[in-house]
Amino acid sequence: MARAALHHWEEPCLSGAPEDARGSGTVFFSGCALRCCYCQNYPISQQGVGKAITAQHLAEIFLRLQQNGARNLNLVTATQYLPWVLEALESARSAGLALPVVYNTGGYETVETVKALDGYVDVWLADFKYASPNLADRLSSARDYPAVAEAALRQMLIQTGAPVYDAEGFLQRGVIVRHLALPGCTEDSFAVLQTLARIRKETGIPFVPSLMSQFTPFYKAAERGLGRRITTYEYRKVIDEAIRLGLTDGYMQEKSSAREEYTPPFNLEGVE
């Protein structure tokens, strides 16, 4: 693990307003199933920053986040440790953990993994990064990403159903689907949105779309042709396509979100 703390920069239905003292109880795990050349969390996803802990210690961290006022427990890129995460969730539940569990994932999950989390995960916070296998291969070393992500998303929707909110407007159950618009990749963003609209129509299960503009050329992005931020014109085109498809019952980011300070420091806060 690399960090466990209250986080204030998720979608408002998870973390509230930035000035909200509570926030989302995020737990950042080291490693990732993807190799995205532009990952903003690359020190932990690609370079192994973090500290080894036991499943029991992880359960204690979950409970501490609840005691500190977290609105939910937000597990960020946890799949590579799934057996121990499930053990920790079981232990924490038996000790009084009652928060909604958010599974924060790049979307590259097998259906078997999603099924294994049935009964443990209340909210899926999943990326849908690409529609093109070629783009997925070039930027994330995962040519099969579009097919894998679609199958996983369908299973997530089956398991959670339509979004359910509490009296304060915080999501208690459901799926949020994020798409990060990338510079020079507008046509692929269109295809992603068309795929999401098709999935919604075919399943009949609504989800919360979240269009993101925060791309910043971290890590090896420039080496793969992503050496700039997205333009306002490009992002506006993506938003217009979402509106055309009726994917409007969610979130759209301000362009000002493309700033490095939105990436938390991976300094083992909350892990010791």
Side-chain angles (χ1 to χ4, degrees):
M1 284 180 50
R3 178 179 169 87
L6 299 181
H7 189 60
H8 305 283
W9 301 107
E10 304 289 25
E11 281 75 3
C13 66
L14 295 179
S15 56
E19 62 274 11
D20 189 332
R22 296 180 63 183
S24 179
T26 51
V27 180
F28 288 88
F29 293 87
S30 303
C32 185
L34 292 168
R35 293 291 177 265
C36 301
C37 66
Y38 52 88
C39 181
Q40 67 179 23
N41 296 344
Y42 69 90
I44 63 169
S45 68
Q46 315 287 342
Q47 298 177 342
V49 171
K51 177 184 178 181
I53 63 170
T54 65
Q56 185 54 42
H57 187 180
L58 182 58
E60 292 166 0
I61 288 170
F62 293 166
L63 291 167
R64 186 169 68 241
L65 287 168
Q66 178 172 268
Q67 292 163 3
N68 290 343
R71 293 190 178 277
N72 46 62
L73 181 63
N74 188 343
L75 309 180
V76 185
T77 319
T79 296
Q80 58 272 26
Y81 307 109
L82 186 59
W84 301 279
V85 169
L86 295 181
E87 180 183 338
L89 285 170
E90 288 281 6
S91 178
R93 278 179 170 180
S94 67
L97 180 70
L99 295 176
V101 175
V102 179
Y103 206 78
N104 195 327
T105 168
Y108 193 57
E109 305 285 358
T110 65
V111 169
E112 291 76 14
T113 294
V114 178
K115 287 181 176 179
L117 286 159
D118 193 14
Y120 292 95
V121 170
D122 303 288
V123 176
W124 289 92
L125 179 55
D127 292 344
F128 204 111
K129 297 178 182 291
Y130 317 106
S132 163
N134 289 338
L135 190 63
D137 186 33
R138 177 165 68 90
L139 300 183
S140 296
S141 301
R143 173 170 287 276
D144 59 346
Y145 180 93
V148 171
E150 177 168 345
L153 175 57
R154 288 176 178 272
Q155 186 61 35
M156 293 171 193
L157 291 168
I158 290 170
Q159 289 178 196
T160 65
V164 176
Y165 298 86
D166 67 10
E168 295 182 85
F170 288 95
L171 190 63
Q172 304 297 293
R173 190 166 181 83
V175 180
I176 299 175
V177 183
R178 286 174 166 172
H179 175 65
L180 175 64
L182 299 172
C185 300
T186 305
E187 292 299 323
D188 193 68
S189 286
F190 290 173
V192 166
L193 295 173
Q194 290 158 13
T195 297
L196 295 180
R198 173 173 54 80
I199 292 171
R200 174 180 280 190
K201 180 178 180 181
E202 291 173 357
T203 64
I205 303 172
F207 53 82
V208 181
S210 182
L211 291 182
M212 307 176 73
S213 62
Q214 71 183 49
F215 174 81
T216 304
F218 284 108
Y219 195 39
K220 300 179 180 180
E223 299 173 18
R224 306 290 177 86
L226 299 178
R228 64 173 175 85
R229 293 174 176 172
I230 190 170
T231 66
T232 299
Y233 176 69
E234 287 174 313
Y235 188 54
R236 184 70 248 178
K237 288 175 65 179
V238 174
I239 290 175
D240 287 345
E241 179 66 3
I243 293 171
R244 185 186 73 82
L245 293 167
L247 297 172
T248 55
D249 49 344
Y251 300 99
M252 297 176 184
Q253 260 185 344
E254 297 289 338
K255 280 288 275 48
S256 60
S257 297
R259 293 156 53 186
E260 295 189 13
E261 55 262 42
Y262 285 89
T263 302
F266 299 115
N267 53 8
L268 303 185
E269 179 183 352
V271 179
E272 301 298 337

